[in-house]
Amino acid sequence: MGLQAERTALAWRRTALAMAVAAVGAGRLAVPVLGAVALAIAALGLFQALLVSEASRRRYWIVHKSLTTQGNLAAVRLAGAPIAGLACSGVLVGLLALAFVLAA
């Protein structure tokens, strides 16, 4: 069966960790310009990182269970949903960065 599911789960964990670090760093840098709004945005980013981490953990167990019991990925659905969510958050972060640059 291979270790593809484990490698994918680790990649999503790294992504969630990078999102958390970026949220904290961006919040820290934006506080002088945006004030409390920057802290709220950083908290939202941390919450999103937590959601990504939890979704990757759940997805790993679904994939693992499907592979070990059925030998295929028939039980896995909505494969593009986490990627679409991450893409939407990337667009949102880009728009917030643009607003930060234009406000300064």
Side-chain angles (χ1 to χ4, degrees):
M1 278 187 265
L3 297 173
Q4 294 86 353
E6 287 82 1
R7 285 195 305 260
T8 302
L10 287 173
W12 277 107
R13 280 188 194 166
R14 285 190 305 268
T15 300
L17 183 60
M19 289 172 63
V21 169
V24 170
R28 183 174 180 270
L29 291 174
V31 166
V33 177
L34 300 176
V37 175
L39 294 176
I41 293 171
L44 187 62
L46 284 173
F47 180 68
Q48 185 179 17
L50 181 66
L51 288 177
V52 167
S53 178
E54 180 61 23
S56 70
R57 186 188 66 79
R58 283 186 187 171
R59 185 161 183 86
Y60 168 73
W61 284 112
I62 291 170
V63 168
H64 179 72
K65 184 178 177 182
S66 181
L67 285 173
T68 55
T69 60
Q70 299 173 357
N72 59 23
L73 294 174
V76 179
R77 291 183 174 77
L78 297 174
I83 297 169
L86 195 58
C88 289
S89 70
V91 169
L92 180 63
V93 168
L95 291 174
L96 288 172
L98 180 64
F100 177 76
V101 169
L102 294 177

